[in-house]
Amino acid sequence: MVLFRFQEFSLSANETFVISTTDRREIDSELYKELVDGKTLHLLKSVDQELTAATQERIEFLPHYHTLVQCGMYEYYASEGQKALPYAFAELIDNALSATARNTGIRRIEIRLLFDESQGGPAVVVMDNGCGMTSKQLNNWAVYRLSKFIRENCIKSEETGYVRPDPVPRSLNSDISYFGVGGKQAVFYIGQSVRMISKPAGSPDVHEFVMSKEDFERKEMNREDIYTGFIRNRKPADCSHVSESEEQFLQSIVMEEKEKQSFTAVIITGVQQEHVTFLKHNFSLWTRELAHTYHYYIHGVHGNDQRETRKNDHVSNIDIQISLVERSPRIPSMLNLREVDNDMQTLYINSSFSTFEFKAIGARDSFVEGLIRYHPFLYDQETYPVDPYALGIVNHKLDEDCLILNSEARGKRPVFECFWNGRLIPYTTVSEFEWCARPKKVGAVPLECYNRISGVLFANDRFQVSTNKLTFMDLELQLRDNNTIFTRVHNGQELRVNIQREFTNWLKECHERFDKQVMFQGFKGSMTRTDVPTKRQQSPWAVFQAIKWDGKTYKKGQCVKSVKTNPVFVGSIVHFLLYGEHEGDVYATGGYVQIALEPKELYDEVRIIPISKIDRLAAAATIKKKIEDELAKLPDQLRVTWPEGNAWAEDGARPAGTLMGPIKVEILNKKGDPVSRLPVAGTTKKLLIELKVIWHCELHLLHYWNLSKLGKYTLHLQTMLGDNSASEWAGKRLPYYTLNFSIKEGEAISFVLGVISSPVHFGVPFSIPLDFRDEFDYPTQPPCDIKPQLECSSLELSYERIIFGTTCVIKNVRAKGKMSHQNKVMKVHIPGLKQDSQSLQIVLQPGPPHTLVVFPDGDVLSVENRTPANFRVEIHDEYQNITTHPKLSVRCQLLGAPDLPVDVVDCSNTGSGVLLTKPLLLKTVNAEQILTAKFNIPNHRTVACVERKLRILPSSRISRFEVYRQEEGSEDVMVLQNGERIDWTAGDTLGNLRFRLYDEGNRLVSLRPKLTTKIKVNWTADINAEELSQGKLPALSVPSQAQREHFYLVSFHDKHTVNFSFIIYLSCSKKRGYKLQGVYTVKPHSVCIYVYGFSQASSGLLSVCGVRFVGGSLGPRELCFKYQDMKEFVRIEVTAGPPVLIKLLNEPEMPLQVVNGQGLDAPLVVLLCDEWGNPSPDHVSADGLDKSALAIEWQVLYTQPQTQTDGGEHQLEFWGSFSRNRIPGPVVKLNVIPDPNKPVELSIEYDSAATLCAGDIFPVFTVVVMSEEGTPVRTVCPAYLSMLLWKGTASGLNPPSTDLALLENSPGVDGAEYILQFNPEIRQTSVTIAAYSLPFRFCNDVEHQKVIVTLSKKKDRLSQTVLIYRDVFETSKQLKSELECQVQDATLKLNELKAELQKSGFDVSELTTVSLLLFKAILTKMENQPQRKCSIPDPFKGSPKVLGKVGHLAQVEDDDAAKVISWHILGDMDCVVTETTSAAKRIFDDTQGRQQVIPLETVFWRPNDRPLPHIRNGMFLFQPIGNPVFVKDILIFPEHVESCNKGKLRAQNLPESICVFNTVSLLCFGCQLTPRMISYSRLPKNTMCLFILMAGNCLVFGCVCAELLQQCRVAMQKASDVRSDYNSHLEHLQSPEMKQKQQELQQQEQELRDLEGSLGMCFRQCCFLNAKPDF
């Protein structure tokens, strides 16, 4: 511790004191350790003692080391938001350029980026081959802010001192290492440590100095001097101090020192990771920025002019090499800044076509060399370069601001970039000078040319720059000083001229020479212009169809407006003219356009003006309006008026003979003003009106017209020119007026009777057509109030109504009266007409059957039994005329006794007939009987039935035998009973047998020989006729052997047979001999073949068995048993035996010929026969036979179906079965012949080897239709053949790919348009196909293409957004349309329902709301009104075999049941029920299929009398509620009971349906039964149905007014809902939200259009092909 004693003082022993620091901290042991030399201390009595005098404290204020290590961060982070790393490298390059300034050879500067961590990286090395630095110079470099000017005061013997360099072009003097701060800022901005290694020229030693942030921190911690260090002086390539493990790359750098005479290496380590990432990933970006900064040091005074072909005197020897080394296996990147060709200065130089050089001289030897370049407009785009990396920076803004780059060349960017001593000062630009600024008014140079210039200012070191060399301090201020002199420099010589005038002239020359603003397209050839005064310039003039100018396309025929012409006019482009020899599309700055003045109707003139006088700002709407205003002066229309007010309407009709006229016609222009002449300048053309009246093909020129011919007319008024009668002017038709009208018939004054259907039947309505005529004898409409009067002698004529239409018809005329003769004259009289009467002869015939008359007409007719009754019947019409009718049959049915006959007589032709002509065969009538004869006409149910009483008297013919035995002379009579058994003595004779005959009245009939001859007995053939006439029968010999009973028969044979029989049996006591007794019958199933023998029992009876008939006919037979002289006869019935075979009735010729696919010519009839060929009566099961076979009199008819099989022979076998035994049958051989007329295939012949090309004709196709037998079918109509052609895949190779690409560096002008032409190769010489031209634009700028791609993506996103908006609005529009349709449909449905209700008599005006109470009130009102009546018309009722419509056949008594049944079968109310199918078909045909019919004979009926489901065996399973009944049991049939009952049981589920009278009963009943047993219908609420039930098919129909009301209510509700939805949707469409969306859509669409215009989307037909690298 060093104490400075300034004054002696002393302290007493008992005095206390305190030693403290200047901040009054008392010194203790801890604080004492912190004291340093030179520290000022206070000796005080106490710590808070006041100072008695001022004290001084010595301090040091060296800057903190952060000033050095963080200076770069502070400087470069103020770099206007840009990445400052390239400018940090620039500071190091500045030092290298200054160090190599005196090099005579290559000035080599290397920047090595060593990012291989395995070699000790990351590190940045900047090396140069300059003069190097001595140890003193290295010390000076380490001093912060030791500039070159200050160093002059510290010059030592080894330094030469600062010498100002001589002026050089562009100030490229390399004197840019200036302030002593840039290097330190750069190295500590890049990393944390720097190692400076340098070897000066001529020295053998290498000087090395290290400065790092880590070292500064260590010194500060150790309280060492921070700004001190050591310079290592060593020999070259000495790397003993280098750590092998950490800094391997440094060893290689040190080893390179051997070969170098002098050098300086700046090695930066501790590189920040963000800088490493930037340097790796943006290698092209920051190297390009360095190439831009040192552009003129690298490329020389003239820069990197790639188009320069002449020898350059200012070639630079500076070589700046940059390498990037990364970890293996990545390949190092090497780049020489001379190779960078996309820095901005290179782009400016190579896109310019001319240069304007100038010089600005200021005070203190300051001067600036300036250069302005012109970038012309070429190929419809600006050539002013765009910074491709600036695009990357603003790419993120494209979506938001839609930034369009290069749309206005330079735009608002500054003109000049500024260089200081040849080095770019990046953040200083000069927008413009006054003499080169854009003028406020348009002059000789278009204003857009001022946006096509770029400039460079080269300032010397007299202008101050910031220490980081990013901005100028006073450049623009000094240049805008009034004392600054600007001179033009031309060919290196300064010219004292008006620089503003020189610049304007230069700019105008550039515009005229280099701007290719107009692109001429569609070259059509050359022409000579005679309107040019100078003969030399009259030809050649190239003619073009269109131009592209300023982003717009002007084509032939397009309307344009002129500017700066007298007068200003509009017209359509004829073509464009460009002076000179040209072919194809050409670019030029000017030319002429030939314009045809518009409108052509007024100006028939063509003018030629310069293209520059086309008003590019004129909108198409403005031009169109101007043309329309001019056209408004021309005649536009005709105004037709009718002075007398008798105007004729368009398409009107007037009666024949109506006068037309007068007519007033005026010619009007579009403004509505009358004109009489054409408003054409220089000429006078008067206008006339031509009038024509055209009738079909005839032409009449009239003034007042009496039009009498019917048809369509046209009144034609045409404006015509007065001088030549032309109806057109300038290719356009002059105004005309057309009136279409027609002449119709006049009022009726007479009439003609039409044809009447003949004959006319009494009482049958017929129609009389009336054809009315006007005064010109044209058919016309009759008066509406006519009342025809009909007259006919001895007849009464009446009619119902008159129908007015095309022809007036008197409907339903009826003739009444007695028919005297057929031909009558009918007279028709119509009052009010001039000719009011007409006569017509008609043929009369009786009317339809109306009455049935039966003769005799007495009440009772007496007829003896077994005699005919003979009733005569007549059918009369309504007026007692005998009538005839097809199928008119009268049926007579006798009632009152069983098995009475029914007789039918056909009266279709005569109208009369006789019934019961056959004898009445009643059973024995002992007394008279009264029968009822009922006469009716089955086919005419409307004709009333007639009944007659018939008294039947007993017949007088023989009816009964009485046999008795009376001995001669005895009065005892033994009467035998018929079939009586008589016990008589065997071998005795039974004689004295007598007989009596009685009739049906039990009256005795006298015996006459005529009668007795008809009596036969079975015991003898010899009968004495005389005895028979006396009533005696032959004696009967009784057999002598009593073995059995004997049957005896007496019979009377007349028209009928009367038999009497008795049996005699012999007892044992009375046997006299042998007798055969019994009756033998051969049963049909007997299989006996022979008589096996006799057997005799012990009783003496013989049994004969095995009797068999072999052969013979069927029928009654007698068996005779004879023994000795005794005979006995037995009568038996011989029938056919059991069936054992099947025979063909008529065997066809074998084999039977059958055409394939067709049936047999005749049916095959087979018989079932027994063993002997007799037809068997037994039924068989014909398995395997056709189901349509019919059994008729034991014959089975087999109808062979159509055969469809292969050709050849086939066998058809018949077989049957009886008692499960097979019955064989015949086999028929079939020969199936192929059908020669049946087509089966097509035979097609053509040239299959033919090759077809587009435009060729198909080869000839020979088509033959082949039949089954393989021969051509001759009967095929060629019209039935058709040939179809399907679109398929073309043969040959696939078309070439549509992805076309041009190779990189392809020859062509960048931005020019080319045409790719496709020519087809066609073999046919007769076919020509025009070539296809594909225009495209050639772009060789990849970066420019990236801009286009980016903008295209933006366009795609905008397009997608627009589509989404449009879809929203389109969906809303479709929804609106759908809602409108729903509203219309609902309203239409509601109107239809109201119309139906109105037809039923309802007041639909009450139905204005959908209130449920209103509908209930209406339904209640309906229920209280009786409506048990069917309103359905039934015109078919009464027709033959027709029962009527379903609605008129049945009734239901109970109202509730009627409601249920009517609702259940509502859909079939209009069905017509017929008895036969023919009647149903007749109605179906007459109504053309519109009427539903059902024939009952097609209804399968099976009786079904089963009880209700809850009844079993007559007992109730449970006691149901609600009185359930079958629907069939509550139906009542007023008519046709039998047919209706039959049809009812076949109804659709109604016979099985059960009606329950309330819902609760229905549910209870259904819960106790199986659901499948019940079919029920729910009863709609408040339903009132007036029903009529159809019995034929058990369908119920009714008038469902209540259901209509319910449907009407539903329809009203639906209409209200749909209308509400529609209104809501309309409100939504008008809502602010939707309006905002519409505005957004419009904005998006406008942005899309602007973007498309920027991309050149207006050229939609062009294809852009970019040159791509060929790898």
Side-chain angles (χ1 to χ4, degrees), residues 620-633:
T622 304
I623 299 174
K624 182 178 179 181
K625 186 176 183 304
K626 183 173 179 62
I627 295 175
E628 290 177 351
D629 293 342
E630 294 291 331
L631 287 174
K633 302 176 183 179

Side-chain angles (χ1 to χ4, degrees), residues 751-754 768-772 780 782 786 788 790 802 806-810 828 830 838:
F751 71 96
V752 179
L753 296 178
I768 303 177
L770 303 178
D771 187 8
F772 288 85
T780 184
I786 62 172
L790 306 179
I802 301 175
T806 306
T807 301
C808 181
V809 180
I810 303 175
V828 180
I830 301 178
Q838 291 289 340

Side-chain angles (χ1 to χ4, degrees), residues 921-1095:
L921 302 177
L922 276 66
K923 294 183 178 180
T924 302
V925 178
N926 296 327
E928 66 179 27
Q929 296 182 11
I930 301 301
L931 303 180
T932 300
K934 184 176 181 180
F935 300 87
N936 69 332
I937 305 177
N939 293 338
H940 294 272
R941 302 297 179 90
T942 56
V943 179
C945 299
V946 178
E947 293 184 358
R948 289 288 186 268
K949 297 297 182 181
L950 187 61
R951 180 184 293 115
I952 306 299
L953 301 178
S955 175
S956 59
R957 68 180 183 175
I958 303 301
S959 177
R960 182 172 64 87
F961 255 116
E962 183 181 296
V963 179
Y964 62 96
R965 182 172 182 273
Q966 185 178 9
E967 297 288 344
E968 291 290 341
S970 175
E971 295 181 0
D972 295 333
V973 176
M974 184 181 65
V975 179
L976 302 181
Q977 299 298 325
N978 190 20
E980 182 181 359
R981 294 169 60 85
I982 304 174
D983 185 6
W984 203 259
T985 304
D988 196 1
T989 298
L990 180 58
N992 298 320
L993 293 176
R994 298 178 180 269
F995 67 93
R996 298 188 186 98
L997 299 178
Y998 296 89
D999 59 10
E1000 281 186 345
N1002 206 21
R1003 297 185 296 265
L1004 183 63
V1005 179
S1006 60
L1007 300 177
R1008 298 186 301 272
K1010 185 177 181 182
L1011 294 176
T1012 57
T1013 57
K1014 299 177 181 179
I1015 296 174
K1016 302 294 182 181
V1017 297
N1018 66 341
W1019 59 84
T1020 181
D1022 298 330
I1023 301 177
N1024 189 341
E1026 184 177 354
E1027 291 181 355
L1028 284 177
S1029 61
Q1030 295 176 4
K1032 297 180 180 180
L1033 292 174
L1036 188 150
S1037 299
V1038 180
S1040 59
Q1041 192 171 11
Q1043 295 293 329
R1044 63 178 179 83
E1045 297 177 347
H1046 297 273
F1047 175 78
Y1048 297 94
L1049 177 66
V1050 181
S1051 60
F1052 175 82
H1053 296 275
D1054 197 0
K1055 294 181 179 179
H1056 64 286
T1057 302
V1058 179
N1059 296 323
F1060 183 88
S1061 62
F1062 56 91
I1063 298 173
I1064 299 178
Y1065 65 91
L1066 303 177
S1067 62
C1068 296
S1069 59
K1070 297 181 180 181
K1071 290 183 182 178
R1072 291 189 179 180
Y1074 294 99
K1075 299 186 76 174
L1076 298 176
Q1077 299 179 357
V1079 180
Y1080 298 89
T1081 302
V1082 179
K1083 297 183 179 180
H1085 58 272
S1086 175
V1087 293
C1088 297
I1089 301 177
Y1090 299 104
V1091 177
Y1092 295 117
F1094 295 92
S1095 63

Side-chain angles (χ1 to χ4, degrees), residues 868-923:
N870 291 330
F871 285 99
R872 187 170 63 86
V873 294
E874 294 180 356
I875 295 93
H876 292 180
D877 60 8
E878 186 178 359
Y879 308 104
Q880 290 78 46
N881 300 310
I882 298 177
T883 182
T884 59
H885 197 273
K887 296 183 180 180
L888 186 61
S889 299
V890 180
R891 181 173 179 268
C892 176
Q893 182 177 6
L894 295 179
L895 305 175
D899 300 332
L900 295 177
V902 177
D903 196 6
V904 179
V905 62
D906 187 5
C907 303
S908 302
N909 298 324
T910 60
S912 62
V914 180
L915 291 169
L916 299 180
T917 57
K918 294 182 180 180
L920 298 177
L921 302 177
L922 276 66
K923 294 183 178 180

Side-chain angles (χ1 to χ4, degrees), residues 788-813:
Q789 298 175 2
L790 306 179
E791 299 177 1
C792 186
S793 60
S794 69
L795 294 178
E796 180 184 355
L797 299 177
S798 63
Y799 62 91
E800 290 184 0
R801 66 184 185 279
I802 301 175
I803 295 179
F804 297 93
T806 306
T807 301
C808 181
V809 180
I810 303 175
K811 296 292 288 183
N812 296 338
V813 180

Side-chain angles (χ1 to χ4, degrees), residues 1231-1245:
N1231 186 13
V1232 181
I1233 304 174
D1235 191 351
N1237 296 320
K1238 181 179 180 180
V1240 294
E1241 64 177 351
L1242 294 177
S1243 175
I1244 303 175
E1245 296 181 0

